[in-house]
Amino acid sequence: MEFRQLEYFIAVVETGSISAASRKVHVAQPALTRQMRLLEEDVGTQLLDRHARGIRLTVAGRTLYSEAIRLIDDRSDIKARLLAMGRGQTGKLSLGVTVTHLWVPEVAKLMGGYRGRYPQVALDVFTLLSGPQLEKLNQGGLDAGIIYHDDHAPSGIKAHLLQRDHLILAVPANSYWAQSPPTRLLELAETEFVWGYRGISPVYYDRMVAHFSRLNFEPRVVQYGADNITILSMVAAGLGVSIVPAASRSHPMSGICFVELEDLTTCDMPLWLAWRAGNVSPVLDNFIQMAVEIFE
């Protein structure tokens, strides 16, 4: 029993005769008659009572007709769903984003635009720092991640450069440094800093420390925060100053003044879209393509 035969059978039933069905499906009447005979031989019982004015369904024929309608509909549904999956229009995408970048306009536009273009794709967003994102990408726990990294993707990871960020000084809005901003890092030698832990983003941390080393500057760290938003909250509370990615300015947080320093703008902090090599997914391909379009 073939789908083609079932489609012919449905046409015969719905038109009421072999001759009318042959015109509907554009198949010669003798060939259509033969297909109905082959279908009856295949199922092992008579499906149609033929008479001078057309055909009449047997009991088996009525059952096959209802089942054939269901099978044809199911086939169409399966084909449509598979086609949508193959085009990346349905499925699931897990995305890692640092807390800092959730507020960056281009990232917000990317997430909103992707959801708008592919509403049938479930977009799961996880706020993770760059180090944990890389771990999850390697383990298959994330499909894509927006991370800080150097100019070479680690083994097993593919990446596309989204934009080049730099560092910026964050000070309490009511502090001396907000009223009289420094012009060089060395002016902050005795100032108390709020800092992050190396383990949560080693590449970002090492890149920043290496830059400070070239400037003969070492921050006087008195407080630590788990991520940039925590660090900024501590700065706003007056616990010290900090150095964070310039993208942090996108986060709506009161009590903080951001200061641009040439010593910090020269520290290149490339932002990448990363994914695991070998992750063949139309859903991921569409996301990468949209990211490239938005960050161009």
Side-chain angles (χ1 to χ4, degrees), residues 80-92 114 117-122 282-283 286:
R81 285 191 284 123
L82 291 176
L83 181 61
M85 290 180 67
R87 292 176 175 174
Q89 296 171 335
T90 61
K92 180 179 178 181
Y114 184 78
R117 187 180 299 181
Y118 303 103
Q120 300 304 313
V121 176
V283 167
N286 289 340

Side-chain angles (χ1 to χ4, degrees), residues 39-278:
L39 179 60
E40 288 179 322
E41 291 175 8
D42 191 23
V43 300
T45 188
Q46 186 178 354
L47 302 171
L48 304 169
D49 280 332
R50 295 147 178 92
H51 53 82
R53 289 178 296 179
I55 59 95
R56 182 170 55 248
L57 288 173
T58 65
V59 173
R62 288 196 296 272
T63 299
L64 179 61
Y65 175 69
S66 61
E67 290 297 322
I69 293 291
R70 182 183 62 80
L71 287 171
I72 296 297
D73 287 345
D74 286 349
R75 182 186 66 164
S76 298
D77 181 58
I78 291 170
K79 287 175 66 176
R81 285 191 284 123
L82 291 176
L83 181 61
M85 290 180 67
R87 292 176 175 174
Q89 296 171 335
T90 61
K92 180 179 178 181
L93 180 77
S94 56
L95 172 68
V97 185
T98 67
V99 177
T100 299
H101 291 99
L102 284 175
W103 304 95
V104 171
E106 292 87 353
V107 175
K109 182 179 179 181
L110 173 59
M111 293 190 294
Y114 184 78
R115 177 64 177 170
R117 187 180 299 181
Y118 303 103
Q120 300 304 313
V121 176
L123 178 61
D124 292 342
V125 180
F126 300 89
T127 53
L128 296 167
L129 293 170
S130 299
Q133 282 193 56
L134 283 173
E135 292 179 10
K136 285 191 171 292
L137 285 170
N138 278 313
Q139 296 166 1
L142 286 177
D143 293 308
I146 295 177
I147 65 170
Y148 282 118
H149 210 271
D150 55 26
D151 293 329
H152 303 284
S155 177
I157 297 294
K158 288 188 175 182
H160 175 81
L161 179 64
L162 297 178
Q163 64 182 22
R164 293 194 176 277
D165 199 2
H166 60 274
L167 298 175
I168 195 169
L169 177 67
V171 303
N174 59 358
S175 68
Y176 166 80
W177 293 119
Q179 307 306 317
S180 301
T183 58
R184 299 295 304 275
L185 271 181
L186 291 177
E187 296 177 47
L188 302 168
E190 301 302 320
T191 304
E192 295 183 343
F193 273 81
V194 182
W195 216 243
Y197 297 102
R198 181 185 183 277
I200 57 179
S201 191
V203 173
Y204 166 81
Y205 186 97
D206 291 346
R207 193 179 188 92
M208 187 166 56
V209 170
H211 181 74
F212 296 155
S213 178
R214 288 191 291 270
L215 298 173
N216 296 314
F217 174 74
E218 184 175 351
R220 180 170 169 254
V221 179
V222 296
Q223 299 283 340
Y224 284 90
D227 54 47
N228 283 331
I229 299 304
T230 303
I231 290 170
L232 289 173
S233 298
M234 296 167 76
V235 172
L239 301 183
V241 304
S242 190
I243 294 172
V244 295
S248 301
R249 288 178 295 189
S250 300
H251 191 281
M253 183 177 291
S254 61
I256 293 177
C257 179
F258 292 101
V259 180
E260 290 272 5
L261 296 179
E262 184 179 352
D263 288 344
L264 297 179
T265 57
T266 54
C267 183
D268 181 32
M269 303 297 290
L271 185 67
W272 299 82
L273 176 66
W275 62 94
R276 182 169 49 86

